[in-house]
């Protein structure tokens, strides 16, 4: 069940979230496909699709990101951004256009290879953060009773195809699946 709500808080900055239900912690391999898609869409790199279009190209947003949170029985994929009021409609239209393109046009082999390489690089860098690594390993042990090695993680990510990403985009980003909350 989707919803669209606008709340006037009389702020100078608009804060908005567009999101949908996503795979749960136990939906394998869907959760890895969703994680990769979220990273491509709005991960920490400045070349993520949303950041490149809305921030770098047009300067419409202060910041934009896509997060994927997994729970035991469900998950949430959320695109959040802050912008000036006059830019809100342009931002929402651009997000809709990007989501539509993800549903309709599969990535090329070259694009997929670049996105995969970027995600693997981000994982390698994050593995140097000791506390975060320990928390991740603890979550894995509690959830699945095992910890994937870096080689196993790499193999699972390399098994994700352009068609897998497109099918996940079709599932998540169908217009009737998306909800939004906007604070004006």
């Amino acid at each position: 069940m989707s919803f669209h709500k606008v709340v006037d808080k009389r702020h100078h900055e608009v804060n908005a979230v567009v999101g949908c239900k996503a795979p749960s912690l136990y939906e394998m391999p869907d959760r890895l496909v969703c994680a990769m898609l979220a990273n491509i869409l709005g991960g920490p790199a400045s070349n993520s699709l949303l950041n490149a279009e809305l921030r770098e190209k047009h300067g419409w947003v202060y910041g934009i990101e896509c997060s994927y949170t997994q729970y035991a029985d469900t998950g949430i994929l959320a695109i959040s951004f802050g912008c000036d009021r006059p830019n809100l409609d342009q931002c929402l239209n651009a997000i809709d256009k990007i989501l539509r393109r993800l549903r309709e046009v599969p990535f090329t082999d070259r694009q997929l290879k670049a996105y995969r390489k970027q995600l693997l690089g981000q994982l390698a860098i994050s593995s140097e953060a000791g506390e975060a690594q320990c928390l991740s390993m603890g979550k894995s042990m509690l959830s699945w009773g095992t910890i994937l090695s870096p080689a196993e993680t790499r193999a699972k990510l390399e098994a994700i195809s352009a068609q897998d990403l497109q099918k996940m985009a079709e599932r998540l980003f169908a217009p009737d699946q998306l909800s939004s909350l906007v604070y004006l």
Side-chain angles (χ1 to χ4, degrees):
M1 181 170 82
S2 65
F3 65 88
H4 302 281
K5 184 167 175 90
V6 177
V7 179
D8 192 349
K9 292 286 195 174
R10 299 184 184 173
H11 291 269
H12 72 281
E13 178 182 335
V14 172
N15 290 287
V17 178
V18 176
C20 58
K21 186 177 172 188
S24 74
L25 182 64
Y26 297 107
E27 290 181 64
M28 287 294 265
D30 286 351
R31 64 180 283 274
L32 292 179
V33 176
C34 186
M36 186 171 181
L37 187 60
N39 191 67
I40 292 167
L41 190 56
S46 61
N47 66 343
S48 69
L49 295 177
L50 292 168
N51 195 51
E53 182 71 18
L54 279 77
R55 186 164 191 257
E56 300 301 322
K57 183 177 179 182
H58 294 290
W60 291 333
V61 296
Y62 300 116
I64 188 163
E65 65 181 34
C66 182
S67 62
Y68 170 42
T69 307
Q70 304 160 44
Y71 302 104
D73 60 344
T74 192
I76 298 170
L77 186 136
I79 298 166
S80 56
F81 65 94
C83 68
D84 289 332
R85 279 184 189 229
N87 296 335
L88 177 62
D89 288 338
Q90 293 167 308
C91 290
L92 292 172
N93 289 335
I95 290 168
D96 181 58
K97 183 178 178 183
I98 291 168
L99 297 181
R100 186 175 343 106
R101 188 172 62 233
L102 289 172
R103 290 191 313 263
E104 296 174 359
V105 181
F107 293 115
T108 65
D109 290 339
R110 184 176 180 200
Q111 289 172 314
L112 184 59
K113 184 178 179 180
Y115 289 136
R116 186 180 291 121
K117 182 178 179 181
Q118 181 169 319
L119 179 56
L120 289 168
Q122 290 167 348
L123 290 172
I125 290 169
S126 71
S127 71
E128 295 176 9
E131 182 180 353
Q133 188 68 6
C134 288
L135 289 170
S136 177
M137 288 189 286
K139 183 179 177 181
S140 292
M141 186 58 79
L142 287 171
S143 298
W144 302 289
T146 188
I147 298 169
L148 292 178
S149 71
E152 291 169 315
T153 301
R154 174 183 283 278
K156 288 184 181 295
L157 290 173
E158 287 179 349
I160 296 172
S161 69
Q163 292 75 25
D164 294 331
L165 291 166
Q166 186 179 12
K167 284 175 61 177
M168 182 60 65
E170 290 168 355
R171 171 181 166 185
L172 298 177
F173 306 139
D176 64 339
Q177 297 299 308
L178 294 170
S179 295
S180 63
L181 175 60
V182 177
Y183 286 111
L184 298 175

